Amino acid sequence: MLTIYSDSHLLRDSKTELFGGQLVYPHERPTRAAYILERVKAVKLGDIQAPRDYGLEPVYKVHDDGFVKFLETAWEEWQKTGYKGEAIPTCWPARRMAMKIPDHIEGKLGYYALAAETSISAGTWEASLAAVNVALTGAESVSAGERAVFSLCRPPGHHAARDMYGGYCFLNNAAIAAQYFIDQGAGRVALLDVDFHHGNGTQDIFYERQDVLYLSLHGDPRDAFPHFSGYADETGLGDGEGYNFNYPMRPGTAYDQWGASLQIALNNIKQFSADVLVVSLGVDTFVTDPISFFKLKSDDYLTCGGALAGLSLPTLFVMEGGYDIDEIGLNTVNVLQGFEQA
């Protein structure tokens, strides 16, 4: 299987994350991609290619113009204030407050952020745009006839909505890739999110559309980030009604229950008659992941990959979460090998 990868992800090396009431070194760190790439090479998964540059046009097809411009300039604006730390939002337009975009960067951060854990630092914009190019290069390769491609994106993207960032995500790599497939002539795209956390951003982007079927297996938002998105009764709106499926699961979920939900999702994809499959691939469902509560084991990811292959669809894997750094390479590549060997 072809892997698309860029060293530009290293530019995203933030030093702060608000977690458990403390500023800690981020869970989403450069070694995540390094360990995955190391495993890709160790098992000889296939060729590794650098992405090509697609410019901003594909980004603007998915994200709000003002939001994109904010991300592009946020770090520079933050530095101009003289603040010493990394850019972290401290206030939001909460219930019954004015939904107006302030001039000051402190206000802009709050307007565009969905949570406070994700700081913006030097290189964030450049790394985020590189991740988009990694996803798009993978999508182009699948469109050109590859059975499956792995886009090793970092930073991840599925929490990035049309006009919001957070959850370590800035631009929605998987959603931009799905839109690319539509633009290239695909009539129907299935976007399956197997990351532990609900992809609120992806849901937001496609919630009123019927050409992209969104399905997410995730921790119940009553107990898990992002808390305010991902309930089973969120099924789409307007033209998108019936094209959004959420499968929230409670703490302690192991593969028997998770796999049953996966099979239901795969059956829904079959009924949808998708032309192509995009997988938001997160392995933070692992039993020892530090910020999650599912109980999947390494061998379960082989089984998952085999199940995905059973759809017999051209498939793009887009990397999302996974924060047990020591095991992220094994677990991620197990999904890809399970797919290849099925």
Side-chain angles (χ1 to χ4, degrees), residues 258-301:
W258 191 91
S261 295
L262 175 63
Q263 192 55 58
I264 295 170
L266 296 180
N267 289 338
N268 285 329
I269 292 172
K270 291 175 184 176
Q271 293 175 13
F272 179 64
S273 298
D275 298 308
V276 63
L277 173 67
V278 177
V279 179
S280 272
L281 177 57
V283 293
D284 42 0
T285 48
F286 190 54
V287 61
T288 55
D289 194 277
I291 60 173
S292 309
F293 54 63
F294 285 172
K295 303 298 181 185
L296 273 64
K297 307 290 182 63
S298 291
D299 285 349
D300 294 331
Y301 295 107

Side-chain angles (χ1 to χ4, degrees), residues 86-110:
E86 295 175 336
I88 300 175
T90 55
C91 61
W92 286 264
R95 288 181 289 277
R96 295 174 299 282
M97 295 176 72
M99 294 297 294
K100 298 180 180 180
I101 305 174
D103 292 332
H104 194 278
I105 184 59
E106 182 180 49
K108 288 180 183 178
L109 286 164

Side-chain angles (χ1 to χ4, degrees), residues 306-330:
L308 296 174
L311 290 173
S312 298
L313 287 172
T315 301
L316 175 67
F317 292 94
V318 176
M319 194 66 208
E320 301 285 1
Y323 307 101
D324 183 330
I325 306 298
D326 291 338
E327 304 296 334
I328 190 172
L330 172 65

Side-chain angles (χ1 to χ4, degrees), residues 81-262:
T81 66
Y83 294 148
K84 302 302 181 185
E86 295 175 336
I88 300 175
T90 55
C91 61
W92 286 264
R95 288 181 289 277
R96 295 174 299 282
M97 295 176 72
M99 294 297 294
K100 298 180 180 180
I101 305 174
D103 292 332
H104 194 278
I105 184 59
E106 182 180 49
K108 288 180 183 178
L109 286 164
Y111 182 85
Y112 287 116
L114 66 93
E117 80 298 299
T118 302
S119 63
I120 291 178
S121 56
T124 295
W125 166 251
E126 293 81 1
S128 299
L129 197 55
V132 167
N133 286 326
V134 167
L136 286 170
T137 303
E140 182 176 12
S141 298
V142 171
S143 294
E146 291 283 348
R147 176 192 178 216
V149 175
F150 174 41
S151 287
L152 208 180
C153 294
R154 181 182 172 270
H158 72 150
H159 291 305
R162 284 173 292 182
D163 57 357
M164 289 186 290
Y165 76 95
Y168 315 143
C169 303
F170 303 94
L171 297 172
N172 197 312
N173 309 308
I176 293 168
Q179 182 61 51
Y180 175 89
F181 283 123
I182 294 293
D183 293 340
Q184 294 301 306
R188 293 187 163 200
V189 175
L191 205 168
L192 176 64
D193 193 330
V194 298
D195 187 278
F196 170 81
H197 301 93
H198 179 245
N200 61 283
T202 312
Q203 174 173 292
D204 174 71
I205 289 165
F206 297 117
Y207 203 60
E208 298 183 48
R209 290 172 54 171
Q210 59 182 243
D211 53 350
V212 177
L213 180 73
Y214 180 64
L215 315 95
S216 177
L217 285 68
H218 52 266
D220 193 314
R222 289 177 291 177
D223 301 297
F225 182 92
H227 294 296
F228 305 102
S229 181
Y231 291 92
D233 61 358
E234 298 165 17
T235 57
L237 185 65
D239 289 343
E241 175 62 44
Y243 293 91
N244 194 91
F245 290 92
N246 288 319
Y247 310 90
M249 288 165 273
R250 301 308 300 275
T253 293
Y255 191 81
D256 54 352
Q257 182 185 350
W258 191 91
S261 295
L262 175 63

